[in-house]
Amino acid sequence: MMSLFFSSDRNGVPEKNNSLVVCFGEMLIDFVPTVAGVSLAEAPAFKKAPGGAPANVAVGISKLGGSSAFIGKVGDDEFGRMLSNILKENNVNNSGVRFDKTARTALAFVTLRADGEREFLFFRNPSADMLLREAELDTDLIKQAKIFHYGSISLIEEPCRSAHLAAMGTAKKKGSFLSYDPNLRLPLWPSPDAARKGIMSVWDQADLIKVSEDEITFLTGGDDPCDDNVVLNKLFHPNLKLLVVTEGSEGCRYYTKAFKGRVAGVKVKPVDTTGAGDAFVSGILYSLASDLNLFQDEKRLREALFFANACGAITVTERGAIPALPTRDAVLRFVPKVSA
């Protein structure tokens, strides 16, 4: 199954000039407990790791061999400069990064408790990422995007929300493929209702949407996330080209106008699930950047989704997000072990 996808020139390392994925949103510092399976209060110590979903995706694409850029704002502080340098070290174009002298880089403490639930504690009051203004956008960079990728956290507060909408509008006008991972973080929103409205406010503009089962339940007001009718009737919109539902270690489901199906996951022993969804998104956007018509061929789409599943699986075997994101060679070495 894998050889067709990986040996094709069309799906090799994307051309730097015409396959740029621009990721917009937050970049922050994740503090992850040095001991697994404990609550934040019980953690004896924390390991500092760069994070923020859109930034994770940008690095993930670059590590796979693709071309990516990140647009966002960090504090004019040690952490902010460190994050900008991490982008550069990972061959991500960081010319769209801005530094704020009045606010700190965002911090997030995140853990996977023994009961399997993730626990978040955010320090952003406000943080620099929330203060990106439309006037600070690198519009020339946005106009180069073959794919423009974003989340929903940048939609929570002004002025970043207006900057987000302007960036989306610029990308759409230039014909970019729009990719949306809502990445629900309920504690950051004023209320659940505000979260639902905010996330859905840009829903119908995306070409690709990736959601988790929990997000489906939340967005539909409690409906069964495993029901195809729920997904197709409530979440699939006329402009959408591909909707992907991630199911953690079980894999993912996919929906297009022409077909739907499921791709099995890759079994590993998880250490930390932080960044797994971002690694998955990196994998599928890396493939789509090479060929935006991928979603029209079910066989090739399934191969690309299996590759994305493997990206997510490798990432959960290490702590933190960016440090755990795999290279293309790592995925190819890993895949034969699970596809035999």
Side-chain angles (χ1 to χ4, degrees):
M1 179 180 102
M2 305 307 300
S3 59
L4 286 173
F5 176 62
F6 294 121
S7 63
S8 168
D9 291 340
R10 186 170 40 183
N11 288 301
V13 176
E15 290 295 321
K16 291 288 179 185
N17 296 330
N18 63 0
S19 306
L20 181 66
V21 182
V22 174
C23 301
F24 176 95
E26 70 281 1
M27 189 174 195
L28 48 88
I29 303 287
D30 282 330
F31 285 94
V32 184
T34 54
V35 176
V38 297
S39 69
L40 291 176
E42 295 166 336
F46 295 88
K47 180 183 176 183
K48 177 184 76 207
N56 291 344
V57 171
V59 173
I61 289 165
S62 181
K63 287 182 80 169
L64 288 170
S67 176
S68 65
F70 175 75
I71 292 177
K73 203 172 197 183
V74 292
D76 188 11
D77 51 38
E78 287 295 315
F79 283 153
R81 286 186 285 275
M82 182 194 92
L83 292 174
S84 181
N85 286 336
I86 284 170
L87 292 173
K88 192 174 181 180
E89 288 163 9
N90 283 282
N91 298 313
V92 175
N93 182 331
N94 67 351
S95 63
V97 174
R98 302 292 178 257
F99 296 88
D100 196 293
K101 293 184 181 299
T102 65
R104 295 294 189 196
T105 301
L107 308 179
F109 289 79
V110 56
T111 189
L112 186 68
R113 300 192 314 234
D115 60 6
E117 288 299 310
R118 287 172 82 188
E119 192 177 358
F120 292 93
L121 184 61
F122 294 96
F123 286 76
R124 53 200 308 268
N125 192 32
S127 53
D129 60 285
M130 302 158 68
L131 301 177
L132 181 69
R133 301 188 309 275
E134 182 179 346
E136 295 175 302
L137 291 174
D138 187 336
T139 52
D140 288 339
L141 183 59
I142 295 168
K143 288 174 182 177
Q144 294 172 42
K146 186 170 188 178
I147 299 174
F148 184 75
H149 175 73
Y150 48 91
S152 70
I153 289 173
S154 45
L155 292 168
I156 298 173
E157 298 274 359
E158 292 291 358
C160 190
R161 176 179 167 81
S162 290
H164 179 135
L165 296 176
M168 271 180 64
T170 298
K172 190 88 170 175
K173 193 173 179 181
K174 288 298 289 185
S176 301
F177 186 92
L178 299 192
S179 165
Y180 185 23
D181 176 5
N183 197 37
L184 175 66
R185 295 290 178 262
L186 205 49
L188 295 179
W189 291 86
S191 68
D193 191 47
R196 203 173 285 112
K197 286 179 180 173
I199 287 170
M200 297 305 292
S201 68
V202 297
W203 195 264
D204 62 354
Q205 295 185 56
D207 297 294
L208 162 66
I209 295 175
K210 172 255 172 193
V211 284
S212 68
E213 292 178 298
D214 288 345
E215 286 164 348
I216 291 174
T217 302
F218 174 77
L219 293 172
T220 60
D223 287 352
D224 181 3
C226 300
D227 187 338
D228 284 348
N229 291 323
V230 168
V231 175
L232 290 169
N233 295 334
K234 293 199 171 185
L235 297 179
F236 202 93
H237 65 75
N239 300 320
L240 197 56
K241 296 178 174 69
L242 175 63
L243 176 69
V244 180
V245 180
T246 51
E247 301 176 331
S249 62
E250 296 302 310
C252 64
R253 281 176 280 144
Y254 57 90
Y255 302 83
T256 72
K257 288 185 176 72
F259 46 74
K260 59 184 171 66
R262 190 171 173 279
V263 178
V266 176
K267 299 292 188 248
V268 294
K269 188 175 181 180
V271 171
D272 175 20
T273 58
T274 306
D278 302 331
F280 175 91
V281 174
S282 300
I284 192 62
L285 293 186
Y286 165 77
S287 300
L288 279 168
S290 299
D291 182 6
L292 281 179
N293 294 316
L294 191 66
F295 58 84
Q296 295 176 349
D297 182 329
E298 187 168 14
K299 183 177 181 183
R300 291 178 57 233
L301 174 62
R302 289 180 61 85
E303 290 167 350
L305 289 170
F306 185 81
F307 178 82
N309 282 345
C311 290
I314 293 172
T315 301
V316 306
T317 62
E318 290 185 42
R319 287 195 179 90
I322 284 177
L325 294 167
T327 63
R328 185 171 179 270
D329 285 345
V331 179
L332 296 183
R333 283 196 304 271
F334 184 78
V335 164
K337 297 177 186 175
V338 297
S339 60

